[in-house]
Amino acid sequence: MKISNDQKKQNRGKIIEIAVDLIIEGGYKSATMRGIAKKAGFGDATIYNYFPTKESILFAYYEDKLNEAVEKIKEIKNFNEYTINEQLQTFFHIQLELFLPDREFIAISFKKIFLSINQNYKQIKSIKDLFRTIIKDIFDAASEAEEIPPQIFEEMIFHLIWDYYIGLVIFWLKDSSEKFNETTILADKSLDLICSVIKAGVANKLFDLASYFFKNHILSRMGTLKRHKDTINIIKRGFLGTDNE
Amino acid sequence: MNEIEIPKGKFKRTIVSTKAAAKVGGKVLTYLAKRPFLSKDKKASAKKELSEKSAETIFKSLTLLKGTALKIAQFLSMELEMLPETFRKELEKSYNKVPPLNRAIVRKILKDVYQENPENIFKNFEENAFAAASLGQVHRAETKLGEQIALKIQYPGIKNTIESDLKLVRTVIKPFPDYAFILPGLDEVEEKLIEETDYINEGKNLLFFKKHLKLKSVRVPALYDDYNSDVVIATEYIEGLALNEWIKTNPPIEAKNKIAKILYDIFIKSLYELKCIHADPNPGNFIITPDLKIGLIDFGCIKQFDQAFINNYQKLNRAILAGKSEYFNSLNELSLFVNHISEEVKNNIFQIMHKVSKWYSRFYDEEWFDFKENKDIFTEPQKLFKELAKYKKYFNSQPDFIYLDRTRYGLYRIFEQMQVKIKIRNSYEWEG
């Protein structure tokens, strides 16, 4: 039987939804592929057409939520007028808002996935890449609008923001304040700081400073090093264990 | 940049406050360490110097914190001495100037309250605030029915901030000789501030004034209950300029006199008929409409009085103005003093109080009081209150009295700024 793409998408969503429910109710271990399939009304084998492993359902969940967040952001009419800080904050708030109904599921699965150094590297990477695209969009727009200077260590900054995102979600999971106000305030204060650092181009300036040191102090010492060529060669030989240069 | 930087983060708040504590603490220590070697006179002067210097330090640090701490500072200034000049300037600067909430947080708060994005709730919603309120900020919006409203949004977690700020202030003032005197006042301030964070309560206050404060030239905005929660309050948007902005436009003196009269009417009527005053005489809370009426807004800080207090206060006023010796009895009835005072001290206090009452009755000397012709009117009380401050350990802390005085004094300072001519005499206080 051939099924349409729409139907496929719907089934996929249903499986994720049921998996989330079962994991909230009975924990990660007791939710089995068979159990999920049964509750979703699929044959035991059909579910594997959608997800090869139970873990892959988790990854799909997080990937979907990122996509949903993007859709929600698109609904905000003047999002383009927001500062980079406001855009990032809105993105994180929307993401947490989408997580909220499944908070217990997030509590069970989030650390398991994102904090363990495991064999799932490849699947995390696809989530991370999606996240990176979103953040990069925000950065590119800000840089185009000349709100921030072009960043030299863009890649490093994305990694930092990714780590920040993980940290924020974990903080949120532990936040017991009314309406998770503590998380809101933390996000506000910390992103304020992060964005000021980015706007001031601190990373660029550090790079400038480092290259200044390198040029003026390392490169200019090269002359001195040359003079001690013989000594260096002796040391080198010692290391390489040969008599040749 | 000339302005002092305002510490925003909690962390920095703590640093600034501990800085103050360390500074004050350090001075107290010097004082204590010095004590054994000082003669009696010198001890007294050392102590005086200490309290003046540390008051200054506390004010400086508190003004850096702004927000809640500023309110406390405002209160302390009433207790320690009558508004030091530099501090008053800081206060004025703070009117309507709180670091704004960014759009992301505004959205988040509204989403929490309405479970919907603001664009789905309102026909129009301005994401940038048009005014700052004491503990939040105000946005303009248009309901789906086309009503223009002002939406006040509270900064998230402000309650906790108030609590932690007050904890800090209590720690900071602990080394003070006047600690015990200030403490009950601080409790009152905390209670008031927490009350101010409850917008449901503010809505009730607003309705109370709307129902009872029937003055021809005063508009109390309507309340839009459908949009209210404990952290968001929606009221009718009143077209016009905040009083401080309006003064800047250099309106003619007749207009200024008219506005001042309305302000004074609001105060007198609220006090003697409603027994409940709008206790935040911040010029930002009075909107001057194009047809020269006053829109009264922000009912977060109101103060209720019981009949006995009002009676005593009224009696006190009348006694002062009649120049009768009953005046001292009235002071006693307000239980302004502690029980055991030597005759000598009593006499000294009464002498100063006599001067205070003399000064106070100046406002009533003639039918019209012209602030323009009495430029010196506020130099004298500052001196007198400094003198009185020497005896403050003989005074009971009287939050009711302080709120009332603060409001009245605040109002008079506004009149001074406007240079108006106004009838201070009124049927409740003046028997002509």
Side-chain angles (χ1 to χ4, degrees):
Chain A
M1 189 180 71
K2 258 207 153 199
I3 54 170
S4 68
N5 271 345
D6 259 8
Q7 184 66 38
K8 248 188 201 167
K9 217 174 152 190
Q10 219 179 328
N11 288 348
R12 185 180 167 278
K14 196 173 176 191
I15 292 171
I16 296 176
E17 207 176 296
I18 282 166
V20 168
D21 284 350
L22 287 178
I23 289 172
I24 289 176
E25 280 157 27
Y28 182 71
K29 275 203 179 123
S30 67
T32 59
M33 288 296 264
R34 179 171 290 188
I36 296 166
K38 203 172 160 196
K39 211 174 166 196
F42 296 136
D44 290 351
T46 321
I47 190 170
Y48 290 99
N49 292 339
Y50 293 92
F51 298 102
T53 62
K54 194 164 79 179
E55 266 135 28
S56 57
I57 303 181
L58 302 187
F59 293 114
Y61 172 88
Y62 285 103
E63 213 172 313
D64 281 8
K65 290 293 161 186
L66 277 176
N67 282 321
E68 270 178 60
V70 173
E71 289 311 309
K72 291 245 171 200
I73 285 177
K74 281 185 193 157
E75 285 171 21
I76 302 174
K77 242 189 298 170
N78 48 349
F79 190 71
N80 58 329
E81 288 170 17
Y82 284 22
T83 63
I84 182 167
N85 179 357
E86 288 169 331
Q87 291 187 340
L88 288 172
Q89 243 181 89
T90 307
F91 168 62
F92 289 132
H93 284 323
I94 286 179
Q95 186 68 126
L96 289 178
E97 199 181 293
L98 290 169
F99 282 166
L100 189 60
D102 310 324
R103 197 160 186 261
E104 285 168 301
F105 166 77
I106 311 283
I108 296 167
S109 61
F110 195 80
K111 276 194 196 169
K112 190 177 165 56
I113 294 182
F114 295 104
L115 283 190
S116 60
I117 309 160
N118 57 12
Q119 68 277 35
N120 298 323
Y121 173 75
K122 219 173 135 190
Q123 280 157 307
I124 288 184
K125 196 172 172 296
S126 79
I127 299 178
K128 211 170 160 180
D129 281 346
L130 179 57
F131 180 87
R132 197 180 162 286
T133 329
I134 298 167
I135 300 297
K136 193 173 171 3
D137 268 359
I138 292 176
F139 268 74
D140 285 353
S143 156
E144 212 172 286
E146 287 176 8
E147 190 190 349
I148 57 166
Q151 303 289 312
I152 294 181
F153 299 111
E154 224 180 34
E155 203 51 44
M156 192 182 82
I157 290 170
F158 293 144
H159 279 292
L160 281 175
I161 291 180
W162 169 258
D163 287 343
Y164 172 83
Y165 164 70
I166 305 234
L168 193 70
V169 174
I170 289 169
F171 184 88
W172 173 75
L173 286 171
K174 296 223 159 109
D175 185 358
S176 57
S177 63
E178 203 185 332
K179 290 169 195 150
F180 310 108
N181 269 336
E182 296 291 331
T183 310
T184 312
I185 296 166
L186 175 76
D188 183 33
K189 308 276 182 218
S190 51
L191 280 169
D192 200 17
L193 174 70
I194 292 170
C195 291
S196 324
V197 169
I198 290 168
K199 268 184 207 162
V202 170
N204 300 2
K205 283 169 188 162
L206 280 174
F207 179 74
D208 277 355
L209 182 67
S211 50
Y212 161 76
F213 273 123
F214 186 74
K215 279 184 218 147
N216 288 289
H217 295 272
I218 313 287
L219 289 182
S220 66
R221 294 289 185 282
M222 289 307 258
T224 330
L225 289 177
K226 256 182 204 147
R227 258 179 269 139
H228 297 285
K229 206 174 161 191
D230 292 343
T231 329
I232 292 169
N233 280 338
I234 292 166
I235 296 168
K236 220 165 137 190
R237 257 175 247 138
F239 269 111
L240 297 172
T242 63
D243 284 340
N244 298 329
E245 231 193 86
Chain B
M1 223 166 63
N2 279 333
E3 266 182 76
I4 318 170
E5 190 198 346
I6 310 141
K8 280 183 193 139
K10 171 72 188 289
F11 184 54
K12 204 164 173 191
R13 283 177 104 87
T14 319
I15 298 175
V16 173
S17 275
T18 22
K19 251 190 199 161
K23 262 191 178 168
V24 175
K27 279 201 186 113
V28 172
L29 287 180
T30 352
Y31 161 65
L32 291 175
K34 265 185 194 164
R35 200 152 53 168
F37 313 109
L38 287 179
S39 70
K40 211 176 175 186
D41 281 357
K42 277 190 180 160
K43 257 190 234 174
S45 71
K47 195 167 178 177
K48 183 167 170 269
E49 193 190 340
L50 161 82
S51 120
E52 272 172 15
K53 283 244 170 80
S54 37
E56 222 173 86
T57 315
I58 285 193
F59 284 126
K60 271 203 185 130
S61 313
L62 285 177
T63 41
L64 268 181
L65 287 171
K66 294 221 167 181
T68 50
L70 195 75
K71 294 221 156 190
I72 297 154
Q74 193 179 4
F75 183 86
L76 285 180
S77 73
M78 286 285 177
E79 292 277 8
L80 294 173
E81 58 174 279
M82 213 65 180
L83 292 171
E85 191 57 23
T86 45
F87 179 65
R88 200 172 60 79
K89 284 198 179 128
E90 282 303 316
L91 260 181
E92 268 164 23
K93 253 192 259 165
S94 80
Y95 289 154
N96 299 337
K97 260 193 210 161
V98 182
L101 295 178
N102 70 45
R103 286 171 280 202
I105 293 194
V106 168
R107 287 191 79 82
K108 158 100 177 20
I109 297 170
L110 292 181
K111 182 86 200 259
D112 281 344
V113 170
Y114 302 132
Q115 309 297 326
E116 273 285 359
N117 286 326
E119 51 267 25
N120 297 333
I121 298 288
F122 300 107
K123 193 161 152 195
N124 250 319
F125 174 75
E126 280 181 20
E127 286 184 314
N128 291 315
F130 73 89
S134 42
L135 306 169
Q137 62 186 28
V138 196
H139 293 254
R140 273 194 80 165
E142 187 183 348
T143 67
K144 287 196 168 148
L145 298 171
E147 297 142 324
Q148 297 297 322
I149 62 172
L151 208 61
K152 183 158 90 165
I153 299 175
Q154 191 175 98
Y155 195 83
I158 192 87
K159 262 183 228 169
N160 296 341
T161 316
I162 291 173
E163 275 157 25
S164 66
D165 277 359
L166 270 141
K167 223 180 255 168
L168 283 175
V169 171
R170 288 203 177 90
T171 320
V172 169
I173 65 166
K174 219 168 229 165
F176 258 75
D178 308 314
Y179 179 62
F181 179 73
I182 294 169
L183 208 58
L186 276 186
D187 293 344
E188 165 94 8
V189 169
E190 177 162 15
E191 201 184 295
K192 275 269 158 238
L193 280 172
I194 295 288
E195 205 180 293
E196 239 178 283
T197 61
D198 180 1
Y199 285 1
I200 299 276
N201 188 54
E202 183 176 340
K204 283 186 196 145
N205 294 342
L206 181 143
L207 290 178
F208 173 84
F209 276 89
K210 191 161 182 61
K211 191 172 166 199
H212 294 104
L213 187 74
K214 294 276 182 215
L215 284 171
K216 218 174 55 210
S217 303
V218 177
R219 273 179 66 192
V220 178
L223 191 66
Y224 290 89
D225 243 347
D226 293 351
Y227 305 97
N228 294 345
S229 83
D230 55 339
V231 293
V232 174
I233 182 166
T235 55
E236 174 191 349
Y237 175 80
I238 294 182
E239 199 73 50
L241 285 176
L243 180 60
N244 44 341
E245 296 297 322
W246 181 74
I247 294 173
K248 276 187 212 153
T249 64
N250 272 327
I253 186 71
E254 296 76 29
K256 283 199 282 191
N257 285 342
K258 187 180 175 212
I259 291 298
K261 182 184 180 309
I262 306 172
L263 284 173
Y264 191 62
D265 286 350
I266 294 174
F267 173 75
I268 292 294
K269 178 157 180 169
S270 307
L271 176 62
Y272 289 110
E273 285 182 32
L274 277 55
K275 297 180 194 68
C276 179
I277 58 168
H278 183 285
D280 192 0
N282 170 347
N285 290 339
F286 307 113
I287 306 295
I288 314 301
T289 63
D291 58 344
L292 285 188
K293 289 182 177 172
I294 291 182
L296 192 58
I297 58 168
D298 198 336
F299 294 86
C301 182
I302 66 159
K303 179 76 196 162
Q304 270 171 300
F305 304 104
D306 58 31
Q307 188 62 52
F309 175 82
I310 303 260
N311 290 345
N312 284 329
Y313 181 78
Q314 194 171 8
K315 223 153 108 191
L316 176 71
N317 262 312
R318 290 187 169 180
I320 290 176
L321 301 179
K324 287 180 199 156
S325 57
E326 277 166 41
Y327 165 51
F328 298 125
N329 298 337
S330 313
L331 282 178
N332 277 329
E333 273 167 42
L334 278 167
S335 54
L336 218 51
F337 302 112
V338 295
N339 286 330
H340 310 288
I341 309 180
S342 70
E343 278 304 311
E344 196 199 335
V345 174
K346 215 174 201 170
N347 261 330
N348 289 342
I349 295 178
F350 283 168
Q351 268 178 18
I352 304 169
M353 291 302 263
H354 188 67
K355 284 184 197 157
V356 174
S357 75
K358 265 265 158 57
W359 166 76
Y360 186 77
S361 60
R362 275 178 66 188
F363 288 103
Y364 299 81
D365 272 351
E366 282 168 43
E367 193 169 357
W368 293 88
F369 185 83
D370 195 336
F371 280 86
K372 202 173 176 180
E373 283 169 13
N374 291 279
K375 287 208 168 72
D376 61 326
I377 192 82
F378 288 109
T379 50
E380 203 184 344
Q382 276 173 11
K383 263 187 275 163
L384 290 175
F385 280 104
K386 244 183 203 163
E387 265 182 70
L388 263 190
K390 284 186 220 153
Y391 297 100
K392 63 181 161 238
K393 67 176 169 187
Y394 300 109
F395 284 81
N396 285 321
S397 182
Q398 274 277 15
D400 273 7
F401 205 68
I402 287 162
Y403 268 98
L404 184 51
D405 263 1
R406 185 186 100 174
T407 308
R408 189 157 208 162
Y409 192 81
L411 209 54
Y412 287 6
R413 294 304 301 233
I414 291 176
F415 295 159
E416 183 203 20
Q417 200 192 342
M418 289 165 78
Q419 301 271 294
V420 289
K421 196 170 169 182
I422 186 172
K423 234 177 169 170
I424 298 287
R425 288 183 188 180
N426 61 77
S427 58
Y428 301 94
E429 293 165 347
W430 174 258
E431 302 169 301

